[in-house]
Amino acid sequence: MNKRDYYEVLGVPKTASDEEIKRAFRRLAKQYHPDVNKEADAEAKFKEIGEAYAILSDPEKRRQYDQFGHAAFEGGGSGFSGFNMDDIDLSSIFDDLFGSSFGFNFGGSTRSRRNSPSKGRDRLVQMHLTFEEAVFGCKKSIHIDLNETCEKCNGKGGFNEKVCSKCNGRGTIVMEQKSMFGIFQTQTTCNACGGSGKTFETVCNVCRGNGFTKQNKEIVVTVPEGVDTGYQLRISGKGEAGINGGPNGDIYIEFHVKKHEFFEREEEDIYLTVPLTITEASLGCKKEIPTLENNVVLEIKPGVSTGDKLKLKGKGIKIPNSSRKGDLFVQLKVITPTKLDRKQKKLLEELDKSGLDNESEFKNFKKYLKN
């Protein structure tokens, strides 16, 4: 089933700011909350709104969605897979924005959600490449600080687990408040156990109860041939450690390629401007030019002009994850000399007197002047 565009779901443009997205989410969530809206599809709309907000409020996921759409989270977008909408804790999102007394449960208790395995956080790393590194591929190392599962407590955060005495294992506490209108109850996350429903006799002194330790990791990245600025490479399972035994997140490498001194790139094709003297352009010549792999000799026919273009098929850049290559386009540029010695000036004057302006372009221009 095709999903609606997330921006359309929240009723905001693609240029919407984080604050505009949050405001739209608040307004729609209140409108379609099943305790308020008794329409048959209110609950489905409510969840759809929460799902859209979960993606668009996360800068990294929003960037992926803008680039690949829903396919980014369904295994169909350029290297993206492994993301599951079930990993989104909608209860947590609504609780954070409206308070836990907002009163709608998305299946299971808050405690069971907090104790269920969930995927670790993804990380985005910027990598700078030279033109040659991007064209031919290479291996490069990155260093990144990541949350790793604490080895001492195995990610639990402590030792000798027991039921939280404050919430009796529920993960939430109910508070009553009397007013002239009656007694109101509010449910909040237990601040003693953080909603997990359990505590420890001894908190781990390495991770201080977090279950994670910050470690600087070196990761060797194999850069494929033909990447360009903006291309993202996914390294599966190398991101932040998962929660409650969940899988690790992923690392996304975003490339930035330095411009070349002579070659200009347009996707898989490259362009090279080759300078010619006026004699080479007039008489023709054999010109040695560079390509990505080696130098080749190119035959220039007589009478070429600035802007003429020649194509060398298959001499461009390899398309990532493909065996096909682009083309090399040679753009000719006739250079008019500006520093002439006495002998060169005399030769050009004699050449000019020999009738160089007999070409049809000159004749047509003179005819127009007379008319």
Side-chain angles (χ1 to χ4, degrees):
M1 183 177 69
N2 293 329
K3 290 188 175 183
R4 281 207 299 160
D5 179 79
Y6 285 144
Y7 292 100
E8 180 185 334
V9 170
L10 296 182
V12 296
K14 289 191 174 183
T15 56
S17 65
D18 293 342
E19 186 58 34
E20 288 173 328
I21 289 173
K22 183 179 289 188
R23 284 201 302 267
F25 170 67
R26 284 176 177 270
R27 176 177 55 80
L28 292 170
K30 290 179 179 179
Q31 179 182 347
Y32 289 104
H33 189 284
D35 286 353
V36 178
N37 192 319
K38 300 304 179 182
E39 296 178 7
D41 60 347
E43 181 176 335
K45 288 183 178 179
F46 194 57
K47 290 184 178 181
E48 182 183 43
I49 293 162
E51 182 180 303
Y53 179 74
I55 298 301
L56 300 184
S57 63
D58 184 306
E60 189 172 324
K61 288 185 173 63
R62 182 179 180 182
R63 178 167 49 250
Q64 295 171 18
Y65 177 73
D66 287 345
Q67 189 171 3
F68 300 104
H70 292 291
F73 310 108
E74 297 169 355
S78 184
F80 293 103
S81 64
F83 182 87
N84 192 329
M85 283 302 174
D86 292 335
D87 291 339
I88 300 175
D89 189 346
L90 295 180
S91 290
S92 177
I93 291 173
F94 284 104
D95 286 351
D96 290 343
L97 287 176
F98 299 103
S100 58
S101 60
F102 197 56
F104 187 66
N105 198 328
F106 289 87
S109 66
T110 302
R111 182 172 64 84
S112 64
R113 279 285 190 172
R114 290 182 181 273
N115 290 333
S116 62
S118 60
K119 184 181 177 183
R121 193 161 61 96
D122 295 338
R123 295 291 299 276
L124 179 69
V125 178
Q126 309 289 333
M127 179 177 286
H128 294 269
L129 302 174
T130 65
F131 185 85
E132 289 78 10
E133 287 174 334
V135 168
F136 298 111
C138 61
K139 288 184 180 293
K140 299 198 78 169
S141 294
I142 61 171
H143 289 83
I144 182 172
D145 289 329
L146 294 171
N147 282 332
E148 294 287 313
T149 301
C150 178
E151 294 182 356
K152 184 172 182 179
C153 65
N154 199 28
K156 291 186 176 181
F159 309 95
N160 299 324
E161 182 181 312
K162 60 182 182 179
V163 175
C164 176
S165 59
K166 188 170 184 178
C167 66
N168 294 321
R170 291 189 301 271
T172 58
I173 54 177
V174 177
M175 301 180 64
E176 292 186 350
Q177 184 177 3
K178 294 181 180 180
S179 73
M180 60 183 296
F181 300 104
I183 298 175
F184 289 89
Q185 288 187 339
T186 57
Q187 181 175 285
T188 59
T189 300
C190 177
N191 58 4
C193 64
S196 65
K198 60 188 179 183
T199 57
F200 301 97
E201 289 185 6
T202 306
V203 175
C204 178
N205 60 358
V206 174
C207 66
R208 298 180 180 179
N210 293 320
F212 304 101
T213 57
K214 187 78 71 176
Q215 295 185 26
N216 186 268
K217 307 282 286 187
E218 181 182 11
I219 298 173
V220 178
V221 179
T222 300
V223 179
E225 294 180 59
V227 300
D228 201 0
T229 295
Y231 184 93
Q232 286 190 348
L233 175 69
R234 173 176 173 259
I235 305 177
S236 178
K238 294 295 185 180
E240 303 278 10
I243 300 172
N244 296 322
N248 282 18
D250 304 322
I251 292 180
Y252 292 93
I253 309 295
E254 185 172 87
F255 298 107
H256 297 269
V257 182
K258 185 179 179 182
K259 290 187 179 296
H260 193 273
E261 183 179 2
F262 296 106
F263 293 119
E264 290 187 17
R265 177 174 182 173
E266 287 188 11
E267 297 182 348
E268 65 269 19
D269 296 328
I270 55 173
Y271 292 79
L272 174 68
T273 298
V274 174
L276 299 176
T277 66
I278 56 175
T279 52
E280 288 175 327
S282 300
L283 303 176
C285 65
K286 290 186 177 180
K287 193 82 171 178
E288 185 178 17
I289 66 164
T291 69
L292 293 177
E293 297 173 348
N294 50 30
N295 291 354
V296 299
V297 176
L298 190 64
E299 185 172 353
I300 308 295
K301 294 182 179 180
V304 296
S305 304
T306 293
D308 286 353
K309 189 183 297 181
L310 305 173
K311 181 171 81 171
L312 300 182
K313 189 172 179 61
K315 292 293 185 180
I317 297 171
K318 182 178 180 295
I319 301 172
N321 304 318
S322 168
S323 59
R324 194 170 75 84
K325 285 188 174 183
D327 303 319
L328 168 60
F329 292 90
V330 176
Q331 300 178 124
L332 303 179
K333 182 179 181 180
V334 181
I335 305 298
T336 303
T338 56
K339 296 179 180 179
L340 300 172
D341 59 25
R342 188 174 300 174
K343 183 179 179 181
Q344 290 170 330
K345 286 183 179 179
K346 186 175 181 180
L347 287 172
L348 286 177
E349 287 171 355
E350 291 177 0
L351 187 62
D352 185 53
K353 292 176 182 178
S354 67
L356 287 177
D357 59 351
N358 285 328
E359 297 289 340
S360 59
E361 286 86 348
F362 292 107
K363 290 180 179 179
N364 291 336
F365 185 71
K366 288 178 180 179
K367 183 178 179 182
Y368 180 75
L369 286 175
K370 288 181 180 180
N371 293 335

